[in-house]
Amino acid sequence: AIMQYDKVLEIDAKDVDALNNKGLALYNLGKYEEAIMQYDKVLEIDASALNNFDDPSTIGPSPKSPRANRVKTTKESHSL
């Protein structure tokens, strides 16, 4: 998964979703310092992202992300 996030970040180094997800993947591998570095990059790009960490309803792509609509559509299609 980390390699996929790296590919996205090669195209857009400021992709908050990719940085956040890469941080989560690194955290799950026990690479805490590397995960923190990714989260720090997220906060440099979008300081309001910090508020999202306390609200479980905000898990997933940010509403500004083009992927947000795809995720919503996918979730809706699975609930039918």
Side-chain angles (χ1 to χ4, degrees):
I2 293 172
M3 289 173 35
Q4 295 300 321
Y5 298 129
D6 285 339
K7 287 180 182 180
V8 172
L9 294 167
E10 285 178 18
I11 297 167
D12 181 2
K14 293 185 177 186
D15 187 309
V16 174
D17 293 328
L19 288 166
N20 188 49
N21 290 334
K22 181 178 177 182
L24 180 60
L26 290 165
Y27 175 85
N28 288 332
L29 291 172
K31 298 181 178 186
Y32 305 118
E33 292 297 322
E34 292 179 59
I36 290 170
M37 289 173 33
Q38 299 306 306
Y39 296 136
D40 285 344
K41 290 178 185 178
V42 169
L43 295 175
E44 287 174 16
I45 296 165
D46 182 5
S48 69
L50 181 62
N51 296 331
N52 295 337
F53 293 127
D54 294 330
D55 183 358
S57 68
T58 62
I59 294 173
S62 68
K64 298 176 190 173
S65 168
R67 289 188 297 260
N69 290 333
R70 286 189 299 200
V71 171
K72 182 178 178 184
T73 302
T74 302
K75 286 180 182 177
E76 289 171 353
S77 67
H78 288 291
S79 65
L80 296 176

